[in-house]
Amino acid sequence: LVVSRYSEFLLKAIDVASVALPEEGGIFLIYSDFYKNRGDFVKADTYLERLTSFRREDCALWSQRVLLLGRGTDYERLREVSSDALNYCNSAPVIFLFKAMAETELRLYTDAVATVKAALPFLGTDKKIQSTFYALLGSAYNGQKECSLSDDFFRLAISLSPDDYGTLNNYSYFVS
């Protein structure tokens, strides 16, 4: 009961602040966090969407938005937002990753391959990150029935991160 009253009070305070300061980005972040903490990711995204409408070049904000949408299952929306984000943040691996994951889930394997390949120059030297992208490339090639390429990229991913049980599991599933 106390939490519920506190939540309602907080929401009213945020409403007042948003009317008084409509262009203040912090208000939208507070709203987004409030709804994210309640598990309402769709509503949380509506506030991040408003914020990205006037802070287009804020890559941290776009990344936060993509990560939030990645917690759900609306892959069309995730693909759309990550595509928009790449117009402003075209070297952020996390945005490429979620776009490619959405494309893989939507069975748009050719697009997923292109997205991962576009991300490769920005991955840096972290082997775990490289492994994640190569495993995703392996999954996308498997979806295209390009088994030889799929196997090659899964082997590369495993060589970079041999203890990644998710990659090992996916590769063993595709091989069987």
Side-chain angles (χ1 to χ4, degrees):
L1 184 62
V2 172
V3 171
S4 178
R5 284 187 187 157
Y6 175 76
S7 294
E8 294 307 315
F9 173 77
L10 181 61
L11 202 50
K12 286 178 185 177
I14 296 169
D15 281 337
V16 169
S18 70
V19 171
L21 305 164
E23 295 295 313
E24 173 55 43
I27 300 300
F28 296 119
L29 285 174
I30 292 169
Y31 263 124
S32 179
D33 285 346
F34 180 81
Y35 286 108
K36 180 181 71 176
N37 291 336
R38 285 185 146 187
D40 189 343
F41 303 126
V42 173
K43 192 138 189 175
D45 180 54
T46 62
Y47 292 100
L48 290 178
E49 179 178 26
R50 288 171 69 183
L51 191 52
T52 56
S53 73
F54 61 88
R55 285 175 49 184
R56 303 302 269 169
E57 315 248 336
D58 187 335
C59 292
L61 183 59
W62 280 109
S63 294
Q64 182 178 354
R65 193 165 174 213
V66 168
L67 288 166
L68 176 74
L69 291 170
R71 296 175 75 174
T73 58
D74 186 348
Y75 300 112
E76 289 285 349
R77 181 79 176 140
L78 177 57
R79 181 175 187 243
E80 174 189 332
V81 169
S82 56
S83 293
D84 288 346
L86 286 170
N87 289 324
Y88 306 99
C89 310
N90 60 3
S91 63
V94 69
I95 297 171
F96 283 103
L97 177 67
F98 278 91
K99 182 175 188 272
M101 287 170 46
E103 290 166 341
T104 301
E105 288 295 327
L106 293 167
R107 296 189 169 123
L108 301 170
Y109 302 117
T110 302
D111 293 344
V113 167
T115 298
V116 172
K117 285 183 173 183
L120 294 179
F122 308 112
L123 298 185
T125 59
D126 185 301
K127 290 182 179 186
K128 179 71 173 155
I129 292 172
Q130 292 172 351
S131 174
T132 300
F133 277 85
Y134 289 133
L136 190 53
L137 202 49
S139 293
Y141 277 126
N142 185 273
Q144 290 181 314
K145 307 295 185 220
E146 297 271 354
C147 296
S148 179
L149 284 171
S150 174
D151 291 348
D152 290 345
F153 281 104
F154 269 113
R155 285 189 203 109
L156 179 56
I158 291 166
S159 74
L160 292 168
S161 186
D163 296 329
D164 184 336
Y165 298 117
T167 299
L168 291 166
N169 181 61
N170 287 345
Y171 182 49
S172 66
Y173 174 77
F174 291 139
V175 169
S176 65

